[in-house]
Amino acid sequence: MRFTSVLLLLFAVLPLMAQSDTYSIVIEGFDWGPAVTKVIIPYSKPDSVGGGAENWKVSAMRTHASGLNQQGDRQVVSAYASDSRGRRLKEGDHTTLVLAVGPHLSIDNPITYLGDAGRNVFIRYSLDVTHVPTVTSFATEDQQYFPGLKGIDLSGEFEHTDGTALTYAHFTPEASDKRPLIVWLHGGGEGGTDTRIPLLANRATAYAEEATQAIMGGAYVLWPQAPSYWMETTGGKASWGEEESRFTPALLALIESYVADRPGIDRGRIYVGGCSNGGFMTLKLLLRKPGYFAAGFPSALAYRSKNLSDAEIAELATVPLWFVHAEDDPVTLPLETVVPTVSRLEAAGAADVHFSYFDHVTDLTGLYGGEDYWYNGHFSWVPCHANACWSEVNGEKITIMEWLAKQER
C-alpha cells in the first residue's frame, strides 16, 4: 500500500519536474508607480499535486549597481490556469499567480530612484518561485509583459537641428476624421531614454486608456522624454522659471514635427499638460508658442510665480488653463508657485482658468484607506490622471478631461 502511494506521487510529480524552470512576470502601472502584479509559471496545475495559492511561495530580490539590494517575500493572492501570457483559461498549460501590491510596499516595485542621477530606472527584479508540495523551483526569468503599454509605440526618436536628441512614446487612435492631440510632459524623475519610465512611474498611460479616450472621442497622445529633466538650463542647473530650459526649442520642434506628419490631428485641439517640471515646461511652451495650444493643464506646478512677468501673465491669461495642486506639496510649494499665479491670472482677466486645490492627495481607489491614506503631497497628478478634478462651467459641474475635450482654438 505504501509502495503504491509512493508510485502515484512520483507519477504526479514527474510531469511537473519535466517542465521548464522559467517564469514570466507582468508589470502594471498604478498611481504610486509600477508593480510586478503577476508571475506566470509553466505548470499545468494538476489537482492531484495541488496548485492553489496556498501551495506557492514567491521570494523577490531587487538589485541595482547603485547598491540596491532588497529581498522579501511576495504575498500570493490567488492562482489560476492560464496561457503563457497570463490570460485566464479553463484549462491551461501555465499557472498564473496574482501577487499583492500597494503603495505601502516596495518589494513589488521594478524601478528605483537614483538620487545622484535624479531619475527612475528599471532594476534587476528576480524571483524564486517554489511549488511547496513538490519542492519544485522556478528561478529563471523568461519574459516581461506590460499590458498597460499595449497599443503605445515606445520607439520614438527625434533630433533637433541644435543636436538635442529626444525620445518619445505615442498613441494613435482608431479614427477616420480629425482628432485632438494630448501632449503630456513627465516629472523630474522620468528623464532618460527608456520611454517606459515616463509612462509607468506615475501612470501617464491614463491618457491612452479607455476612459479618457471615450471622453475625447479618440485622441492622439504624445509623451516626450527629456534626456535629463525639463527644468535644466543651458548652464546645467535647475530653473524655476527665471531662465529658459535648454530643451524648449527641441521639444517644440518635436511637437510641430509630430503634428505635421499626422494629418489626422486636429490643429485646433492640441493640449499640453505635465506634472512638476512638466508643469514648468507646459507654461514655457505656452509662452514660447502663443496661439498654438488650445489649452494647458499643469499639475504640481514647478514654476515660481515671481519669475513670471506681468506681460507673461497677460499672455497666459488668454489660454484656457486648469491647474491641479495639493496644499501639502513639500516640493513645489503652492504659495510660491500655483496660488499666486492663479491669483495673478484672475486679476489679469483670465476668462477660463480653473484650480483644483486639494488638502491632500489621497487613495482614490479605496483599496488602501481612501481619504485616510495620504500620498506625498507632490503627487497631485494622481487626481489629474484619474479625471477626479471638478469645476463649474456655465452652472454645470464638469471634470478636467471633459473640459479639456471642449477646448479649441
Side-chain angles (χ1 to χ4, degrees):
M1 189 70 177
R2 181 182 302 171
F3 179 71
T4 302
S5 298
V6 171
L7 281 178
L8 287 174
L9 177 59
L10 180 61
F11 286 130
V13 172
L14 279 176
L16 176 64
M17 295 179 67
Q19 296 177 86
S20 168
D21 68 347
T22 62
Y23 65 84
S24 296
I25 60 174
V26 175
I27 299 174
E28 298 179 77
F30 296 89
D31 290 340
W32 66 86
V36 176
T37 60
K38 298 175 182 177
V39 57
I40 306 162
I41 309 298
Y43 165 52
S44 57
K45 193 181 174 183
D47 293 337
S48 58
V49 179
E54 71 281 0
N55 291 305
W56 294 93
K57 177 178 173 60
V58 179
S59 299
M61 178 175 289
R62 303 174 69 240
T63 57
H64 189 266
S66 62
L68 174 67
N69 191 343
Q70 181 188 10
Q71 300 180 53
D73 291 336
R74 297 294 308 272
Q75 178 188 352
V76 181
V77 177
S78 64
Y80 60 86
S82 73
D83 64 9
S84 62
R85 297 182 67 93
R87 291 172 290 211
R88 190 168 191 138
L89 300 173
K90 186 174 181 180
E91 294 183 4
D93 55 4
H94 285 67
T95 292
T96 293
L97 309 179
V98 179
L99 307 176
V101 300
H104 56 295
L105 303 173
S106 59
I107 197 63
D108 63 1
N109 198 335
I111 69 172
T112 193
Y113 182 76
L114 302 180
D116 292 343
R119 70 182 64 171
N120 288 289
V121 296
F122 275 91
I123 59 172
R124 175 170 173 73
Y125 192 95
S126 55
L127 296 175
D128 190 338
V129 184
T130 302
H131 183 251
V132 178
T134 59
V135 198
T136 305
S137 180
F138 303 82
T140 304
E141 182 179 280
D142 182 17
Q143 299 288 331
Q144 294 184 353
Y145 298 114
F146 297 82
L149 301 183
K150 183 179 180 181
I152 297 175
D153 188 329
L154 303 172
S155 63
E157 296 181 351
F158 177 82
E159 185 169 349
H160 188 41
T161 53
D162 67 5
T164 301
L166 302 175
T167 47
Y168 63 91
H170 60 108
F171 174 82
T172 302
E174 294 184 6
S176 58
D177 54 354
K178 299 285 188 179
R179 290 293 183 264
L181 167 65
I182 301 173
V183 180
W184 178 260
L185 304 172
H186 62 75
E190 287 74 62
T193 57
D194 187 338
T195 55
R196 298 172 302 174
I197 292 291
L199 288 165
L200 295 173
N202 43 44
R203 209 178 73 79
T205 53
Y207 300 105
E209 292 171 6
E210 183 177 350
T212 301
Q213 287 292 312
I215 292 172
M216 292 287 166
Y220 292 81
V221 188
L222 175 63
W223 298 270
Q225 186 178 29
S228 54
Y229 57 101
W230 298 122
M231 295 167 70
E232 185 183 4
T233 68
T234 54
K237 66 177 184 178
S239 168
W240 286 79
E242 68 276 14
E243 293 185 39
E244 187 57 83
S245 165
R246 64 182 288 253
F247 298 116
T248 305
L251 175 58
L252 189 54
L254 162 59
I255 296 170
E256 291 175 323
S257 174
Y258 186 83
V259 172
D261 289 342
R262 290 162 179 80
I265 293 177
D266 185 342
R267 272 61 170 173
R269 299 178 66 201
I270 301 175
Y271 313 129
V272 60
C275 59
S276 192
N277 97 138
F280 157 91
M281 184 54 88
T282 296
L283 296 195
K284 284 295 186 186
L285 290 179
L286 293 174
L287 291 169
R288 181 72 173 246
K289 190 76 171 178
Y292 185 78
F293 299 96
F297 59 114
S299 59
L301 179 66
Y303 205 125
R304 290 182 180 140
S305 184
K306 68 179 182 180
N307 295 323
L308 286 166
S309 69
D310 289 342
E312 288 173 327
I313 287 290
E315 180 61 47
L316 291 173
T318 66
V319 183
L321 288 166
W322 192 315
F323 296 88
V324 183
H325 218 102
E327 187 176 14
D328 62 347
D329 189 327
V331 180
T332 54
L333 304 179
L335 295 182
E336 295 180 359
T337 58
V338 67
V339 171
T341 297
V342 170
S343 295
R344 292 174 66 194
L345 286 169
E346 291 174 340
D352 197 359
V353 61
H354 305 271
F355 185 19
S356 294
Y357 195 28
F358 297 93
D359 294 335
H360 314 284
V361 180
T362 61
D363 164 37
L364 298 176
T365 68
L367 297 174
Y368 308 105
E371 290 292 323
D372 294 323
Y373 185 92
W374 297 355
Y375 287 106
N376 182 306
H378 190 49
F379 293 8
S380 55
W381 51 82
V382 170
C384 180
H385 292 344
N387 196 29
C389 303
W390 301 83
S391 188
E392 190 172 293
V393 176
N394 298 325
E396 295 185 4
K397 194 174 183 181
I398 192 171
T399 69
I400 187 170
M401 288 299 112
E402 291 169 340
W403 169 85
L404 194 66
K406 294 177 181 295
Q407 305 309 312
E408 55 184 317
R409 291 191 287 109

